[in-house]
Amino acid sequence: MAKQFSRIGKEIAIAVKAGGPDPDVNPALRRCMQNAKSVNMPKDRVEAAIKRAMGKEMENYDQILYEGYGPHSVAILVETATDNHVRTVANIKSHFNKGGGTLGNSGSVSFQFKKMGVFKLNPKGLNTDDLELELIDYGLEELGEGTGENGESVLVIRCVFNEFGHMQKALEDKGIIPISAELEWIPVTTVQLKEEQANDLFKLVDKLEQDEDVQKVFYNLK
């Protein structure tokens, strides 16, 4: 939970620096606040993060995507938000090396993924057939069932990356508040591993996710 709070805190800082502290006119900040609620981040912590982001002494975070292969040739993307890219690249490279992987160059792995907007909705009171028809014009690519943070059933909407803002507004206009709204790298092709091999990958992913500069980790294991 502490890691999730830290991740969202950085996202809030980036959103406020880019678009200001008013969520009514800053859709990126609205998204962050929705995601904060989904992980039960206290309201006072969210407000404190917004105030810190407005201060001159607040760090400027660079968002950097690292690409590489984990053990057994699984493709991995690592999203980071850092105020010291020298430290970050050294740590990421070390995690890959110790975990049986290899850090690659920009473009070496990302072509195996598609960046998409992913919205999770409470299905109560929603007609999926009607919703699917209504959202096609806003970049909808997939609508299906999924699982939330606490194992509850959710509706999962995926849209093309460039339509993320349009989809967010379309849902807001319909009075639908997403449980969460994220930009994710979805694998175009996947690989399968035996359980023992998969555990090798998960050990590396766990180390990466624990790094203070890492926001999210994506991989193409099926």
Side-chain angles (χ1 to χ4, degrees), residues 1-214:
M1 185 170 289
K3 174 64 178 177
Q4 289 177 318
F5 288 1
S6 175
R7 174 179 69 84
I8 292 174
K10 285 185 179 182
E11 290 181 349
I12 288 173
I14 293 166
V16 171
K17 290 280 187 180
D22 185 355
D24 290 336
V25 295
N26 186 342
L29 180 56
R30 286 202 303 277
R31 175 178 66 84
C32 293
M33 293 173 73
Q34 289 168 355
N35 293 339
K37 188 176 181 180
S38 74
V39 298
N40 298 316
M41 185 173 178
K43 186 178 179 180
D44 59 345
R45 291 194 62 163
V46 174
E47 293 172 348
I50 293 172
K51 288 180 180 178
R52 282 198 306 273
M54 295 168 61
K56 292 182 179 179
E57 72 283 355
M58 182 67 186
E59 302 95 336
N60 286 317
Y61 291 108
D62 292 322
Q63 294 175 287
I64 304 173
L65 180 70
Y66 294 96
E67 309 179 30
Y69 284 97
H72 314 295
S73 301
V74 176
I76 298 177
L77 295 178
V78 185
E79 286 188 344
T80 67
T82 177
D83 58 353
N84 185 333
H85 64 87
V86 174
R87 174 194 68 219
T88 303
V89 68
N91 288 345
I92 298 299
K93 187 173 183 179
S94 175
H95 293 318
F96 269 92
N97 290 343
K98 291 178 180 178
T102 305
L103 184 63
N105 297 322
S106 177
S108 61
V109 166
S110 57
F111 70 92
Q112 299 181 54
F113 295 78
K114 185 176 182 180
K115 195 170 189 181
M116 302 184 75
V118 180
F119 298 81
K120 292 183 178 179
L121 313 179
N122 184 339
K124 186 177 180 180
L126 297 179
N127 183 302
T128 54
D129 292 335
D130 291 345
L131 191 62
E132 187 170 16
L133 288 173
E134 292 168 359
L135 296 178
I136 286 177
D137 291 338
Y138 299 94
L140 177 69
E141 289 216 346
E142 300 174 24
L143 190 156
E145 297 179 351
T147 304
E149 291 283 338
N150 301 312
E152 73 278 17
S153 295
V154 297
L155 284 181
V156 180
I157 287 175
R158 288 179 179 171
C159 68
V160 294
F161 168 66
N162 291 338
E163 298 287 352
F164 183 89
H166 292 149
M167 180 62 72
Q168 183 178 6
K169 187 175 187 307
L171 292 172
E172 290 174 355
D173 289 345
K174 294 179 186 302
I176 300 173
I177 300 176
I179 297 170
S180 66
E182 302 277 7
L183 292 170
E184 299 184 3
W185 290 93
I186 308 299
V188 177
T189 58
T190 57
V191 297
Q192 289 184 297
L193 297 178
K194 296 179 180 178
E195 184 177 354
E196 185 175 334
Q197 293 174 320
N199 287 336
D200 292 336
L201 171 69
F202 294 145
K203 288 177 183 177
L204 170 56
V205 170
D206 185 55
K207 286 292 185 183
L208 289 166
E209 289 181 335
Q210 289 180 35
D211 191 285
E212 63 176 344
D213 296 329
V214 172

Side-chain angles (χ1 to χ4, degrees), residues 209-221:
E209 289 181 335
Q210 289 180 35
D211 191 285
E212 63 176 344
D213 296 329
V214 172
Q215 295 290 89
K216 301 172 191 171
V217 180
F218 303 96
Y219 47 89
N220 71 338
L221 177 65

